[in-house]
Amino acid sequence: MDLAFSKSALLLLLVAAVVAMLTRKLRLPYSVGLVAAGMILALAPWSPKISLTKELIFTALLPPLIFEASFHLRWKELRRDLPVILVLATAGVLLSAGISAAGMHFFAHWDWFSAVVFGALIAATDPVSVIATFREAKAQGRLRLLIEAESLLNDGTAAVALGIALTLWSGAHISALGTLTIVLVTVGGGILCGIVVGGLLLFLAGRTEDHLVELTFTAVAAYGSFLLADYFQMSGVFATITAGLMMGNFAAFGVLSERGREAVQAFWEFAAFIANSFVFLLIGMHGTSQNISRVWLAAAVGVVVVLLGRAAAIYPICGLLSRSQYAVAVRQQHALFWGGLRGALALALALGLPEDVPARAEIITVSFAVVAFSVFVQGLTMTPLLRAIREISK
């Protein structure tokens, strides 16, 4: 880590703290303020020089955010709505990806491969944006559980779909059995890595009452589970979710000392704040370099088809469940639709595309446009919507 990077990181931390103070006073979403601040920073002559890359998002910023969110999920509550969440995170994502791909092909006149790649990477809602927005809005109860858990799980479906599309483009043949094998290995292997790392560190944490050691074990679990799964080309996200769920739920049953639980909660709240700040500031900084006017038609079509895809993923699926014990209230369906924000995850997948992928630059630019719409339009209107449907107090 060179001196220039350290200075840039320190400046971003200072900006994040100031933005947090201002947005709280102005009662604006913190994520919106950060992206706007990032755009202003990008225009300054002394703009921080930190590149937004897939590696930075996936290996540095995503693990603490996913671990912190899953650490606070309670298995008893999650299990009750797990069928709904799984259907939305699998069938819902595939349906959304298909509609987005078809829309880009027929209305933006993209070739089928580029359209499918875009549809796959943009289909999953972003855990970073979703969790930040709903926490700022102080949403509680079943709605928050549904939207947060779905956003944590659905990126696995999108990543696998994108991987299959890229494999087919390379000329390789994949059968239905091969596709199923990829899914099982990627997802199941990631969960297994999370169980191994989380179980080992829980065992060690139960042998000490030193809160600093306990805290260290959770940090190792967050990054260790992700990196282990990634090393074996499995889902790092599912690994970290599993490790976070295990450590959070067992901690509630006394595996961690009382002081250890307090230290862990405070530390991960701070870690999530730092990671969130970097993500949204960097989105703003690098979004200004995207020449959206050059692909304005594709960008406009992209925003519309992504919204249509999300609507198709929410309303029909929830309609099928309306007469079951898993029925979702109509007002909550509206929140699930509008709260399906896109963010760092889609950008990481887009930025990680091979250089020779057709229309790669256009895919990245349109992805930035969709993310900008999510942050500024959906992000700014989410709290008023939640008030209007009486999910939060006025």
Side-chain angles (χ1 to χ4, degrees):
M1 184 182 296
D2 58 21
L3 183 59
F5 181 89
S6 299
K7 289 180 178 178
S8 296
L10 186 61
L11 176 59
L12 291 182
L13 286 176
L14 176 61
V15 171
V18 173
V19 170
M21 295 169 59
L22 290 175
T23 52
R24 191 162 298 167
K25 286 188 176 182
L26 297 173
R27 296 185 178 181
L28 291 173
Y30 177 53
S31 54
V32 174
L34 285 171
V35 174
M39 296 173 72
I40 295 172
L41 273 177
L43 301 176
W46 34 264
S47 175
K49 306 300 181 185
I50 299 180
S51 298
L52 183 65
T53 63
K54 179 182 178 181
E55 289 71 26
L56 176 63
I57 294 173
F58 266 81
T59 60
L61 303 177
L62 203 54
L65 291 167
I66 293 173
F67 184 86
E68 191 268 345
S70 56
F71 186 88
H72 289 97
L73 286 177
R74 290 295 162 257
W75 174 247
K76 184 178 180 180
E77 299 173 356
L78 181 63
R79 183 178 58 187
R80 187 167 56 239
D81 277 314
L82 193 58
V84 184
I85 294 165
L86 289 178
V87 172
L88 290 174
T90 52
V93 170
L94 294 175
L95 186 58
S96 178
I99 290 175
S100 297
M104 296 305 291
H105 175 73
F106 290 111
F107 298 108
H109 309 298
W110 281 11
D111 65 88
W112 269 116
F113 173 73
S114 300
V116 168
V117 166
F118 174 78
L121 67 84
I122 208 70
T125 56
D126 181 61
V128 181
S129 299
V130 168
I131 292 170
T133 300
F134 275 74
R135 286 186 180 179
E136 287 174 36
K138 295 182 172 56
Q140 298 295 332
R142 190 188 185 207
L143 174 62
R144 177 167 163 178
L145 172 70
L146 288 174
I147 193 77
E148 288 192 3
E150 183 212 355
S151 70
L152 286 169
L153 296 177
N154 65 14
D155 71 288
T157 306
V160 170
L162 178 61
I164 292 172
L166 292 174
T167 301
L168 290 173
W169 171 72
S170 67
H173 174 72
I174 303 180
S175 63
L177 180 60
T179 300
L180 180 61
T181 302
I182 292 173
V183 172
L184 291 177
V185 171
T186 303
V187 176
I191 293 173
L192 181 60
C193 288
I195 291 173
V196 170
V197 174
L200 174 62
L201 292 169
L202 273 171
F203 173 79
L204 294 174
R207 301 297 183 273
T208 181
E209 292 190 357
D210 187 326
H211 67 286
L212 295 178
V213 174
E214 292 172 321
L215 181 57
T216 302
F217 285 147
T218 63
V220 174
Y223 282 99
S225 57
F226 193 99
L227 294 174
L228 178 65
D230 188 63
Y231 176 80
F232 289 109
Q233 296 184 330
M234 298 169 183
S235 175
V237 172
F238 276 104
T240 302
I241 290 172
T242 304
L245 273 172
M246 289 180 63
M247 300 206 79
N249 282 270
F250 279 101
F253 288 106
V255 173
L256 300 182
S257 65
E258 183 177 350
R259 191 177 180 189
R261 288 195 298 272
E262 293 173 356
V264 166
Q265 289 175 355
F267 171 79
W268 284 107
E269 184 179 0
F270 175 69
F273 170 79
I274 296 299
N276 257 323
S277 300
F278 270 81
V279 165
F280 288 113
L281 281 171
L282 290 172
I283 287 175
M285 289 170 58
H286 291 273
T288 57
S289 64
Q290 302 298 317
N291 187 5
I292 295 178
S293 62
R294 183 173 58 86
V295 291
W296 67 269
L297 177 60
V301 170
V303 169
V304 173
V305 297
V306 167
L307 288 175
L308 290 175
R310 179 64 178 173
I314 296 298
Y315 294 112
I317 289 176
C318 290
L320 291 174
L321 299 170
S322 61
R323 296 184 181 276
S324 72
Q325 61 178 317
Y326 305 110
V328 180
V330 174
R331 71 177 190 279
Q332 292 183 335
Q333 294 178 39
H334 298 331
L336 288 171
F337 159 63
W338 197 244
L341 309 178
R342 272 62 174 184
L345 180 65
L347 295 181
L349 293 175
L351 292 166
L353 291 174
E355 294 290 338
D356 55 349
V357 166
R360 179 180 183 272
E362 288 80 2
I363 292 172
I364 293 174
T365 302
V366 174
S367 297
F368 267 100
V370 173
V371 169
F373 181 88
S374 283
V375 171
F376 287 109
V377 179
Q378 292 173 269
L380 281 171
T381 55
M382 198 64 238
T383 299
L385 172 62
L386 292 174
R387 288 198 185 103
I389 62 176
R390 298 180 181 178
E391 283 293 329
I392 60 174
S393 58
K394 294 186 177 181

